[in-house]
Each structure stands twice: as C-alpha cells, then as structure tokens.
C-alpha cells in the first residue's frame, strides 16, 4: 500500500509539472560547414520549462530540439534524469557561437554535464543530430534570445 501511494503522489506531482510547463515553439538557424539548418524548437523560458526539459519523451525527432536560454554568460550544468532519449547538448556563447558539444548523452543518467566555460544557452537535439548537421565549436546559432544575451 505504501509503494502504491508513493507512485500515485509522484504521478500527481509530475502531472502538475507537465501541466505547468508549456514551452513556446519557435525556430532557430544553425550555420555550419554543411549549410544553414532550420531547427524547430521549444524554448524552455520558465523554471518549470527548464526543470522538465525533454524528460519523459521516448524520442526527439530530427530537426527539432529544445533551447534553454539563460540571459547572461555563466557556467551551466545539465543532466539526463528522467530523460529517455539520448541527446546532443550544444552549449552556446553570448555571441551565438557554439562553445562545445556533448554528444550522445546517457539516458536516465544523473551525471553532471557542464558547459566548461561561460555560455548563455544550451540547445538539446536528438543524439546524432550534431554529427549529422556537422555542428562544431565556432559554428553560429541564430535566434532572437541570443541577441539580447550579452
């Protein structure tokens, strides 16, 4: 009975978090050696959006992702708790350039993934997308939220 009640309570809390998180949809452009790539994104603007991120999704389709903008340069850390799909994490500097990429993160892991330097945003894509699009440090990410982050 105790375990059932615990799962029920956790389910209610997750339901409330999912209901509260409603990321805005938009598009951004990645400029790489292979060309300009338009990515359909959800923007994790609120704390609820950022807390939930891409958790509980069985997959992330190609050419889609989630942008986590932070407004000012800082060391950022992410993890994969409750995230079922492996991701590529693209850490973005204030000037819109790619700082670094964490490839093929481990699903459901609590290992901390750090930006390793001051960044203003993280773009999460399905694992393999960064290599497919040939994203590398120094490439440019174009989105309105990055213009105001300095």
């Amino acid at each position: 009975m105790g375990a059932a009640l615990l799962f029920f309570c956790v389910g209610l809390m997750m339901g409330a978090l999912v209901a509260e998180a409603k990321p805005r949809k938009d598009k951004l452009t990645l400029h790489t050696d292979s060309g300009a790539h338009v990515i359909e994104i959800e923007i994790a603007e609120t704390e609820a959006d950022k807390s939930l991120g891409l958790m509980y999704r069985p997959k992330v389709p190609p050419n889609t992702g989630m942008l986590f903008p932070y407004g000012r340069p800082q060391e950022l850390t992410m993890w994969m708790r409750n995230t079922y799909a492996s991701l590529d994490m693209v850490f973005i500097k204030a000037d819109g350039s790619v700082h670094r990429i964490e490839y093929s993160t481990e699903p459901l892991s609590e290992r901390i993934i750090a930006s390793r330097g001051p960044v203003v945003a993280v773009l999460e894509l399905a694992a393999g997308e960064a290599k497919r699009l040939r994203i590398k440090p120094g490439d440019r990410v174009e989105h309105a939220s990055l213009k105001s982050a300095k």
Side-chain angles (χ1 to χ4, degrees):
M1 177 86 169
L5 181 59
L6 175 64
F7 286 121
F8 176 74
C9 290
V10 169
L12 284 178
M13 290 181 350
M14 286 315 306
L17 185 60
V18 170
E20 185 180 339
K22 294 188 188 289
R24 176 171 61 94
K25 295 185 188 261
D26 201 355
K27 294 180 181 179
L28 64 70
T29 304
L30 290 165
H31 298 276
T32 74
D33 288 345
S34 64
H37 305 279
V38 176
I39 307 294
E40 294 190 23
I41 58 169
E42 294 176 51
I43 304 174
E45 295 173 300
T46 68
E47 286 308 310
D49 294 343
K50 287 176 179 162
S51 293
L52 186 60
L54 292 172
M55 290 181 179
Y56 305 105
R57 299 185 193 195
K59 69 178 194 166
V60 177
N63 296 310
T64 69
M66 182 171 277
L67 182 68
F68 296 76
Y70 283 86
R72 65 175 176 74
Q74 59 191 290
E75 177 73 21
L76 293 178
T77 57
M78 310 292 277
W79 65 4
M80 294 290 291
R81 176 186 282 176
N82 300 319
T83 306
Y84 303 140
S86 180
L87 302 172
D88 290 340
M89 293 183 185
V90 180
F91 293 91
I92 305 165
K93 295 183 195 179
D95 66 359
S97 66
V98 172
H99 171 63
R100 82 173 203 88
I101 303 159
E102 182 79 18
Y103 297 96
S104 299
T105 57
E106 181 184 350
L108 304 172
S109 172
E110 293 190 11
R111 179 179 73 84
I112 300 299
I113 301 163
S115 61
R116 298 184 197 155
V119 297
V120 297
V122 180
L123 173 63
E124 293 183 343
L125 303 166
E129 284 290 277
K131 286 185 180 174
R132 183 181 72 81
L133 299 172
R134 298 188 356 218
I135 304 168
K136 66 184 180 325
D139 285 345
R140 311 259 334 134
V141 181
E142 188 179 325
H143 187 264
S145 68
L146 300 174
K147 289 181 174 74
S148 61
K150 299 274 182 198

